[in-house]
């Protein structure tokens, strides 16, 4: 992956510091997590702040490793400004869709960088679909798009099982954000990588239909 970019280091550091503050400070965690009731009353900062809190160390590590694997691809192809637009745009859209899907559940809450990370994953796959990933337990190169699809399957599982305070709905919203923002910023992808543009639209549409039909 090369040398890790400074922006990636800053984002991972911010997620780690704020998450560990939340692990040890209940009032801090409660004040800044995504929660439908307070957001409806005007506490919009939670739409962003919840993306820097995590449910536990495993949740934090999973998201930060995913960010590490894919961030350099987006930074290398689009630059720092567009990377940050995709990261925070995906974070906010993921949060907004979580609030929308749970608008009548005033106590619904969630945390995690899942929306932002899903957006970066989808962006990276659009930009460089042929890249491979290596994992410690799987000594075979895995195509990036397979990891991306697997990440969304994990989202579906999390939504169905209502796992902890993790923002599983945000995976969906973040993926949509990363997908749409990247295509807006890089319209040339429609001519150079149309197959992947269509392929990555399929799981997004499936997730949307499952949610709309009440099967989630």
């Amino acid at each position: 992956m090369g040398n890790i970019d400074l922006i990636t280091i800053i984002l991972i550091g911010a997620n780690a510091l704020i998450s560990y503050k939340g692990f040890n400070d209940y009032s801090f965690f409660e004040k800044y997590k995504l929660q439908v009731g307070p957001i409806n009353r005007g506490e919009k900062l939670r739409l962003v702040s919840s993306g820097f809190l995590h449910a536990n160390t495993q949740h934090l590590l999973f998201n930060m490793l995913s960010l590490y694997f894919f961030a350099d691809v987006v930074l290398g192809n689009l630059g720092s400004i567009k990377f940050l637009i995709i990261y925070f745009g995906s974070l906010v859209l993921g949060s907004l869709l979580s609030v929308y899907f749970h608008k009548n559940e005033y106590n619904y809450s969630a945390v995690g960088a899942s929306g932002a990370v899903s957006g970066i994953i989808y962006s990276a796959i659009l930009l460089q679909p042929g890249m491979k990933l290596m994992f410690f337990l799987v000594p075979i190169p895995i195509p990036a798009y397979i990891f991306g699809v697997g990440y969304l399957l994990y989202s579906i599982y999390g939504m169905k099982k209502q796992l902890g305070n993790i923002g599983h709905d945000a995976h969906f919203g973040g993926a949509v954000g990363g997908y749409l923002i990247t295509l807006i910023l890089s319209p040339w992808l429609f001519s150079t990588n149309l197959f992947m543009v269509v392929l990555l639209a399929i799981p997004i549409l499936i997730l949307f239909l499952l949610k709309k039909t009440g099967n989630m």
Side-chain angles (χ1 to χ4, degrees):
M1 298 296 295
N3 295 324
I4 185 169
D5 191 273
L6 178 61
I7 288 179
T8 308
I9 293 173
I10 291 171
L11 285 173
I12 291 175
N15 272 278
L17 289 172
I18 295 171
S19 291
Y20 275 98
K21 169 70 172 174
F23 294 159
N24 298 299
D25 187 336
Y26 178 79
S27 61
F28 179 85
F29 186 88
E30 290 295 307
K31 182 177 180 180
Y32 292 110
K33 71 180 182 181
L34 185 147
Q35 189 168 8
V36 173
I39 289 172
N40 287 344
R41 292 194 296 270
E43 297 182 25
K44 306 303 184 189
L45 178 62
R46 291 173 182 259
L47 295 171
V48 176
S49 62
S50 60
F52 289 87
L53 292 168
H54 288 81
N56 50 51
T57 303
Q58 292 79 8
H59 184 211
L60 172 65
L61 287 174
F62 180 80
N63 276 332
M64 294 304 98
L65 281 173
S66 299
L67 177 61
Y68 168 76
F69 285 137
F70 290 94
D72 280 356
V73 175
V74 182
L75 284 161
N77 281 275
L78 299 181
S80 301
I81 299 301
K82 291 181 179 179
F83 171 87
L84 290 172
I85 291 171
I86 293 168
Y87 185 92
F88 284 99
S90 299
L91 192 166
V92 171
L93 185 54
S95 294
L96 287 172
L97 281 181
S98 291
V99 172
Y100 172 73
F101 285 142
H102 299 276
K103 57 182 178 290
N104 296 321
E105 303 170 42
Y106 296 108
N107 291 321
Y108 174 82
S109 63
V111 293
S114 305
V117 173
S118 291
I120 295 300
I121 289 173
Y122 257 60
S123 179
I125 296 170
L126 279 171
L127 293 164
Q128 195 173 314
M131 68 177 178
K132 310 271 189 195
L133 298 174
M134 290 283 287
F135 296 96
F136 296 115
L137 299 177
V138 184
I140 302 171
I142 300 173
Y145 66 88
I146 291 180
F147 179 88
V149 172
Y151 194 84
L152 285 183
L153 290 176
Y154 171 74
S155 304
I156 296 172
Y157 176 77
M159 289 178 199
K160 292 178 77 70
K161 296 294 184 180
Q162 297 289 306
L163 298 177
N165 279 327
I166 299 172
H168 299 286
D169 290 295
H171 295 198
F172 167 59
V176 173
Y179 178 82
L180 293 177
I181 296 170
T182 300
L183 291 177
I184 291 169
L185 295 175
S186 310
W188 47 266
L189 288 169
F190 285 103
S191 58
T192 62
N193 198 12
L194 183 60
F195 174 75
M196 196 57 61
V197 170
V198 174
L199 180 64
L200 291 181
I202 293 172
I204 291 175
L205 290 173
I206 290 173
L207 278 168
F208 179 75
L209 290 171
L210 285 173
K211 194 70 179 178
K212 291 298 286 184
T213 56
N215 291 318
M216 292 302 300

